[in-house]
Amino acid sequence: MADTNEYCYVMDYSDGTICEIKIVPEDNDENGDIDVDKLFDKYGLKASNCSWMFTTSKIEGIIELI
């Protein structure tokens, strides 16, 4: 299960951005997993246009999606 210190960094090939999503408890499903499609829908992203990684380390200088 993700905690409030977990991040998803997304490289969106459609617009050339690299963005940060701070994972919140609501992003986890009933099994404690993150559904990437659902998470990306929340921010208007398409998984087919992106590469992503999850980490517990915040990377400085990345656009934060809120």
Side-chain angles (χ1 to χ4, degrees):
M1 181 167 136
D3 61 27
T4 57
N5 295 318
E6 188 170 356
Y7 303 89
C8 179
Y9 289 96
V10 182
M11 178 180 231
D12 190 334
Y13 298 111
S14 69
D15 63 9
T17 57
I18 299 175
C19 302
E20 172 188 287
I21 300 171
K22 187 170 183 179
I23 304 300
V24 295
E26 295 80 26
D27 295 327
N28 294 296
D29 66 14
E30 60 277 355
N31 297 319
D33 297 323
I34 297 171
D35 180 332
V36 173
D37 290 319
K38 184 177 175 184
L39 179 66
F40 283 13
D41 283 346
K42 180 177 171 180
Y43 294 102
L45 301 168
K46 293 184 179 179
S48 61
N49 294 337
C50 301
S51 291
W52 61 91
M53 71 176 204
F54 290 93
T55 181
T56 56
S57 301
K58 182 172 177 61
I59 300 173
E60 299 300 323
I62 301 294
I63 300 165
E64 181 178 358
L65 298 178
I66 54 172

